[in-house]
Amino acid sequence: MSQTSLPKLSPPETSTELDIELRKVFKVFNGETAVRGVDLDIARGEFFSILGPSGCGKTTTLRLMAGFDMPSAGEVLIQGQSMNNVPPYRRPVNTVFQSYALFSHLTVWENIAFGLRIKKLSRGEIEDRVKEALKLVKMESFANRFPAQLSGGQQQRVALARALVNRPAVVLLDEPLGALDLKLRKEMQVELSNLHQDLGLTFVMVTHDQEEALSLSDRIAVMRGGKIEQIGTPSEIYERPKTTFIADFIGETNLLRGRVENGDSAGLHVAVSNGLKLAVPHPESGESWSRLGEVAVSIRPEKIHLSLYPSENQFNCFEGRLKHVMYLGTHVHYVVELLTGDRLTVRQPNTADKLPDPHTPIYASWAIADSLALKE
């Protein structure tokens, strides 16, 4: 999408720089607590994603923002105004669903105009707004088609246009690309990112797709068991996860469990139960190594280097054997079994080099800074 020809949809001016605030929000369904004391601030113009496994409470959190559910306790604020007991149609938000929820008997134009007609806007204003929305999503030439005559990606754009035509302060996206095939999903991720930058609106997206959240978001909240486990930028969430759950859920990682034995200027020294000795950085919190005890060491697969010869690094270089190779085009996944019996997943760029025989000794190594000690 062109970033020069699109009209800017500026939300109303308010005294707060936050578009969404959740204050100690709980939601209980039939005695089961789906959301547990969530605190959340989403800044104006931010692309914010809520990520987590099925049943973690992310969709319920989005529904609380939209007004489809009301909190059992706590408060939801939009642009500084409490939304408790305010119905969805009176909130300055619009939701785009995974199913698109388009009216099959209405044309693209009529689908987009539907909400404006309910609001009884003038015919001229409806026409201007629908034209603007169609231009935003590059669907002008499809105005007279019905949803069944559109591809999945085109239906997705119509659903976005229908949300944007109301000029909301916040666009809520519930698994917006979940129904698309992989290639189209990648294309729509780029278009969604461009659209967010062009419009300057606040986007809040719920997804279970880690790569999607990492590539699109300014910040991410990772939920687990109805609570937010960590909030941060994509690089913070990926490079500095706070728990083993986040390290394991976001992308791939190797987790080796052991006990901190001591520490020095180089870092902490962790003994894994089978005799492996690992070196990891000191925790950012400044906590003393003697208080850490049992930890899990996380090493991302792309941080590990493979070589036929031992590394010159003093720490974190171990001999093993190649057990499995998975060719993925741009990258190759390896499974290396160390002499201690530990297995490491390694991801390296595809350089078309000849692979060693499975029985050939191979060395896996990584820098101290590329590992992380996490409490369970």
Side-chain angles (χ1 to χ4, degrees), residues 24-303:
K24 298 288 187 293
V25 170
F26 287 80
K27 182 59 184 179
V28 180
F29 295 104
N30 300 319
E32 295 290 329
T33 305
V35 175
R36 301 172 179 270
V38 167
D39 282 302
L40 187 60
D41 291 334
I42 300 176
R44 180 162 307 152
E46 191 170 22
F47 197 126
F48 191 95
S49 290
I50 304 174
L51 181 64
S54 297
C56 70
K58 60 185 184 294
T59 296
T60 301
T61 301
L62 195 80
R63 290 177 61 85
L64 290 166
M65 297 176 190
F68 301 133
D69 292 322
M70 297 297 170
S72 304
E75 190 172 26
V76 176
L77 298 97
I78 299 178
Q79 295 193 325
Q81 300 297 312
S82 177
M83 292 290 120
N84 287 20
N85 301 315
V86 175
Y89 65 87
R90 292 187 57 195
R91 299 187 181 201
V93 303
N94 271 99
T95 306
V96 178
F97 301 97
Q98 179 179 344
S99 63
Y100 313 139
L102 301 177
F103 297 113
S104 60
H105 64 290
L106 300 180
T107 65
V108 167
W109 179 283
E110 291 165 339
N111 263 283
I112 297 171
F114 183 83
L116 303 180
R117 286 174 173 160
I118 294 296
K119 293 180 178 179
K120 301 187 185 303
L121 297 186
S122 69
R123 180 177 296 180
E125 184 167 2
I126 290 174
E127 186 166 333
D128 289 344
R129 285 212 198 179
V130 173
K131 283 182 179 178
E132 177 187 63
L134 285 167
K135 184 178 181 181
L136 286 171
V137 297
K138 289 191 172 181
M139 290 291 289
E140 302 102 308
S141 61
F142 297 87
N144 295 319
R145 293 195 187 183
F146 290 91
Q149 298 173 304
L150 304 176
S151 69
Q154 289 165 342
Q155 291 183 41
Q156 175 66 50
R157 294 184 200 184
V158 176
L160 278 166
R162 191 175 59 181
L164 296 170
V165 77
N166 291 300
R167 298 176 180 173
V170 180
V171 178
L172 304 176
L173 304 158
D174 186 7
E175 299 276 6
L177 310 181
L180 305 179
D181 62 59
L182 181 61
K183 186 173 186 297
L184 183 56
R185 190 180 185 119
K186 298 293 185 186
E187 292 174 1
M188 287 301 295
Q189 285 177 9
V190 174
E191 293 200 20
L192 198 58
S193 178
N194 288 342
L195 193 60
H196 171 254
Q197 293 176 28
D198 292 335
L199 298 178
L201 299 180
T202 302
F203 279 25
V204 182
M205 180 177 72
V206 157
T207 183
H208 67 275
D209 188 311
Q210 300 98 319
E211 183 180 331
E212 191 166 276
L214 290 170
S215 64
L216 290 174
S217 310
D218 296 313
R219 285 191 305 149
I220 299 170
V222 182
M223 291 191 71
R224 181 189 188 192
K227 297 180 178 180
I228 292 178
E229 192 131 328
Q230 185 174 349
I231 298 176
T233 65
S235 62
E236 288 170 346
I237 294 288
Y238 186 82
E239 301 288 351
R240 297 191 295 281
K242 290 184 177 179
T243 65
T244 55
F245 165 76
I246 294 173
D248 199 33
F249 182 74
I250 305 294
E252 290 183 83
T253 196
N254 297 282
L255 290 173
L256 299 173
R257 288 169 170 81
R259 172 174 284 277
V260 178
E261 285 192 331
N262 54 55
D264 56 27
S265 58
L268 305 179
H269 301 280
V270 178
V272 179
S273 58
N274 55 19
L276 207 63
K277 302 285 186 178
L278 307 178
V280 301
H282 289 278
E284 292 182 356
S285 64
E287 185 175 3
S288 170
W289 67 265
S290 60
R291 296 172 57 88
L292 291 174
E294 300 288 338
V295 296
V297 177
S298 170
I299 314 109
R300 296 290 187 187
E302 69 275 11
K303 305 290 188 182

